[in-house]
Amino acid sequence: MTFADIQGFAIDLDGVIADTAKFHGQAWRQVADKVGTEWTEELADSLRGVSRMDSLELILKAGGHENDYTQEEKEKLAEEKNDNYLELVKTLTPNDILPGMKKFLDEAKAKGYHLALASASKNGPTILKYLQLGDYFEGRVDPAKLKKGKPDPEIYLQAAEIMNLDPVHVAGIEDAQSGVESINRAGEISIGIGKNLKDADVKFNDTSELTLDALAKKLG
Ligand code: BG6
Ligand code: MG
């Protein structure tokens, strides 16, 4: 694959466009404390990109509590987490767009690349509204309609469909291992932002390094 293959970008939201991954972490930590699961960096990392209910299951399992709650109680815990999260993100403004990302989106748009949002978050539209990026994407995968979340390829395949592109012409941008795996399994080019993304085709330390030029240099 080369840079010239790319015709569109499927972009994750939390941890790529805005630093909301930390707010998801903070909100989950309150749930972990409540159920008695020790909060570790490893657990926090494993939750990145993972859907709300799957994240709750991972937290319960990490503390050996997977059989301690009914479905109804689990739904209540997930709702509490979401209320915590929505409280934390209330203060987001366009200043919270991660460094270089607005520029990257503007440049990609100006050069005619397709753009789709591939976030597992049901709060995606709310966050985009706070960041004033509501109109930037030609479409967004609705995570409520997915059969399987990341690392399953479904979300990135749907993003390609929204852009009307063959997956080989799509590059996905992710900060999470689960997301990179999803992109790879969809047969797209994976761009990893941050640490511990050994399977990404191309890696950047942070979003400020991500430009079309830098990508062209790395991909050839
Ligand atoms: C992903 C986040 O983007 O969305 C996860 O990385 C989060 O941490 C998932 O659990 C689901 O988000 P939400 O807002 O629907 O609970
Ligand atoms: Mg993410």
Side-chain angles (χ1 to χ4, degrees):
M1 88 215 33
T2 68
F3 179 71
D5 291 325
I6 301 174
Q7 294 175 14
F9 292 95
I11 309 181
D12 176 43
L13 173 64
D14 298 312
V16 171
I17 294 175
D19 194 10
T20 35
K22 67 174 183 224
F23 295 133
H24 279 294
Q26 280 177 41
W28 277 129
R29 189 179 184 150
Q30 294 183 44
V31 173
D33 288 348
K34 185 166 181 176
V35 301
T37 292
E38 191 196 343
W39 187 253
T40 60
E41 204 176 315
E42 201 188 358
L43 177 60
D45 257 4
S46 74
L47 303 181
R48 282 176 180 263
V50 176
S51 75
R52 197 178 306 169
M53 288 315 279
D54 288 351
S55 298
L56 177 63
E57 292 295 345
L58 288 174
I59 290 169
L60 292 175
K61 202 156 175 240
H65 305 298
E66 60 269 44
N67 299 318
D68 298 356
Y69 295 87
T70 63
Q71 189 54 29
E72 206 180 317
E73 287 168 333
K74 285 182 190 172
E75 270 154 31
K76 201 145 172 281
L77 286 169
E79 200 183 309
E80 266 176 51
K81 181 270 172 176
N82 199 47
D83 292 344
N84 296 341
Y85 177 70
L86 286 174
E87 201 50 46
L88 291 167
V89 295
K90 253 188 187 164
T91 57
L92 287 175
T93 71
N95 288 334
D96 295 295
I97 297 172
L98 280 166
M101 280 314 284
K102 178 78 171 30
K103 205 166 158 225
F104 177 81
L105 293 172
D106 282 337
E107 198 189 352
K109 252 183 130 159
K111 297 215 162 128
Y113 289 93
H114 295 269
L115 296 177
L117 194 73
S119 169
S121 175
K122 292 180 177 155
N123 294 304
T126 307
I127 303 294
L128 287 183
K129 201 175 79 205
Y130 288 145
L131 303 175
Q132 292 177 21
L133 290 176
D135 305 332
Y136 264 71
F137 298 89
E138 65 191 77
R140 154 187 174 261
V141 178
D142 180 357
K145 295 196 180 129
L146 294 173
K147 285 189 206 73
K148 285 185 171 174
K150 299 170 187 178
D152 191 272
E154 190 181 6
I155 187 166
Y156 277 95
L157 288 171
Q158 278 199 23
E161 241 177 79
I162 286 171
M163 297 188 280
N164 218 354
L165 292 174
D166 190 298
V168 296
H169 296 304
V170 174
I173 312 179
E174 270 289 346
D175 69 314
Q177 178 53 35
S178 60
V180 167
E181 191 180 327
S182 174
I183 298 169
N184 290 347
R185 285 166 61 187
E188 300 172 4
I189 298 167
S190 52
I191 302 171
I193 311 275
K195 299 175 288 172
N196 307 329
L197 299 173
K198 58 177 174 37
D199 299 328
D201 296 317
V202 186
K203 282 171 249 183
F204 293 94
N205 292 320
D206 60 61
T207 52
S208 67
E209 294 178 3
L210 175 67
T211 61
L212 289 174
D213 275 352
L215 195 56
K217 276 200 191 103
K218 283 189 191 252
L219 270 172

